[in-house]
Amino acid sequence: MTAPLDHATRKWSVPAGVVGAGIAESDLGTAPVITEALHHAIDSGLLTYLPDSADSAAREAFAGFAARRYGWDVDTDAVATIPDVLTGLTLALTHLVRPGAVVLPTPAYANFFPTLAGSGREVIEVPSRGRGHGFALDLDAIESALARGAAAVVLCHPHNPTGTVADRATLVALAAMAEHHGARVFSDEIHAPVVYDGARHVPFASVSTSAAHVAITATSASKGWNVPGLKAAQLVLTNPADRGVIAARALAPVHAGSVLGAVAAAHAYSPDGERWLDATVTTLEGNRDRLATALTTLPTRPLSVLPAATYLAWLEIGCTPEPDSCGAARLRRAGLATTPGEACGSGYAGFARFNFALLPDVLDVAIDRLLDALA
Ligand SMILES: Cc1ncc(COP(=O)(O)O)c(C=O)c1O
């Protein structure tokens, strides 16, 4: 099995013959409207710090996309261009969140752990409910952590690694409890462009006045349009008090996103970019359904939740008696590289996160290996 591109991406930096289905990059390429704009920018020598014109174009395009796609009215002044979502988390923790522990619902995107540790925060892992039958935030456990003084909750919405989407009532309740305890919610909405079954993403900050007040939202074109290497994300500050703080303390030009990333974002979030996204989401939904159908042939079903969003499936693989044969290690022995469950929080060693943003023939091979490993 070889990489689908003529060079190894990060996801395909695996030994020859192994399928790269781990890190959240997509093999489906990106929108031609983006690559054309990037070629033009490079040919024009636009390799500088981020100029205001490219920054404004990206922020305005995002506001237009949020209005069309989510029905979310975002003030362009509320949007700041930053290098990536994890930088947004660090900025939030450094400048906007009071001292105190941070609640991280698990399983969680693995890189939240080092980012939180790097910010010197104690992490309170709150396992989600309904391990085998759908995942939901454990609001009672989150509330008790907030009552004990936790300063923030990291919400991943839609959720990596399970692909679940929190419902509006949950988001409203989370916002109310955060406001009550004087805490903030960092809402990572990087996967919001990829939502299935004709559903519409509901931005956390949009669900109530409290949510807009407590939210610090970060998103990016990097997953939906597969441009994570370009380093431009959007920090959306719906609490006006945050804007001055970030502008004064954090966003010197060197902290802003890259100019090529901003060019990519401006075109990703354009109507043309959105048409490409729609077609890609349809392809990914087909991949999800092929995977889900194939897994129904197994006596025990490793997919406890059909992802409602993201191109990630959270599989309960379990362990066999051989050494090194739990979760992702078990799949690795079958020639399939996935993200290990143990990287996503305590108690998830039997799980693996499978990235199904694969080309059709590669998906066939990956599914065969998954079935073989679990048969
Ligand atoms: C939930 C989530 N947040 C953040 C990131 C990283 O994004 P960025 O490169 O913009 O920091 C990823 C990448 O997979 C992700 O899945």
Side-chain angles (χ1 to χ4, degrees):
M1 181 59 45
T2 52
L5 303 174
D6 59 4
H7 51 270
T9 56
R10 177 108 195 160
K11 182 163 74 71
W12 280 92
S13 300
V14 288
V18 172
V19 173
I23 191 168
E25 296 170 346
S26 163
D27 293 347
L28 306 183
T30 192
V33 67
I34 294 178
T35 47
E36 282 158 24
L38 290 173
H39 282 298
H40 180 70
I42 292 168
D43 292 343
S44 318
L46 198 56
L47 300 171
T48 59
Y49 288 121
L50 179 63
D52 288 345
S53 52
D55 179 33
S56 303
R59 293 187 295 115
E60 279 161 21
F62 174 73
F65 177 80
R68 286 193 310 277
R69 199 159 184 98
Y70 311 143
W72 188 25
D73 187 16
V74 176
D75 184 349
T76 308
D77 289 341
V79 185
T81 303
I82 54 172
D84 50 49
V85 166
L86 291 179
T87 299
L89 178 55
T90 301
L91 287 173
L93 294 170
T94 308
H95 301 289
L96 304 176
V97 175
R98 64 172 162 76
V102 173
V103 177
L104 182 60
T106 60
Y109 168 53
N111 287 323
F112 285 144
F113 291 97
T115 306
L116 292 169
S119 295
R121 300 285 181 154
E122 180 201 342
V123 177
I124 303 175
E125 290 187 40
V126 173
S128 297
R129 285 195 164 139
R131 212 174 160 95
H133 310 279
F135 288 83
L137 291 178
D138 186 339
L139 288 177
D140 293 339
I142 292 173
E143 171 127 57
S144 81
L146 292 173
R148 291 195 310 274
V153 179
V154 176
L155 175 70
C156 187
H157 174 61
H159 188 246
N160 169 3
T162 65
T164 48
V165 171
D167 60 25
R168 187 181 283 271
T170 301
L171 300 175
V172 169
L174 177 65
M177 67 178 64
E179 188 169 54
H180 177 72
H181 292 288
R184 305 299 302 264
V185 175
F186 180 82
S187 189
D188 175 340
E189 305 194 5
I190 196 169
H191 291 281
V194 181
V195 171
Y196 303 126
D197 307 309
R200 201 181 216 210
H201 170 70
V202 177
F204 170 70
S206 74
V207 299
S208 65
T209 311
S210 301
H213 183 74
V214 299
I216 303 158
T217 305
T219 188
S220 172
S222 71
K223 300 294 148 191
W225 290 266
N226 193 37
V227 288
L230 291 176
K231 295 288 164 197
Q234 292 74 44
L235 189 64
V236 187
L237 301 172
T238 43
N239 182 333
D242 292 342
R243 297 178 203 165
V245 175
I246 289 294
R249 296 201 209 145
L251 283 180
V254 285
H255 282 100
S258 88
V259 61
L260 293 180
V263 167
H267 289 82
Y269 293 132
S270 71
D272 257 6
E274 196 175 352
R275 275 187 284 280
W276 180 91
L277 174 69
D278 285 336
T280 303
V281 169
T282 302
T283 302
L284 291 169
E285 190 168 327
N287 285 8
R288 175 199 69 165
D289 293 345
R290 276 173 65 196
L291 171 69
T293 305
L295 294 177
T296 59
T297 62
L298 290 169
T300 51
R301 306 276 167 85
L303 185 64
S304 54
V305 204
L306 191 65
T310 80
Y311 47 72
L312 309 166
W314 182 239
L315 303 174
E316 184 155 17
I317 304 297
C319 304
T320 60
E322 296 89 47
D324 200 24
S325 63
C326 271
R330 194 167 161 199
L331 300 181
R332 186 61 183 245
R333 283 150 58 108
L336 186 57
T338 56
T339 302
E342 56 267 40
C344 302
S346 310
Y348 296 102
F351 289 76
R353 192 193 71 173
F354 174 72
N355 175 346
F356 54 82
L358 301 171
L359 295 174
D361 55 331
V362 183
L363 182 63
D364 285 342
V365 175
I367 289 175
D368 282 350
R369 291 184 183 182
L370 195 53
L371 296 181
D372 279 353
L374 299 180

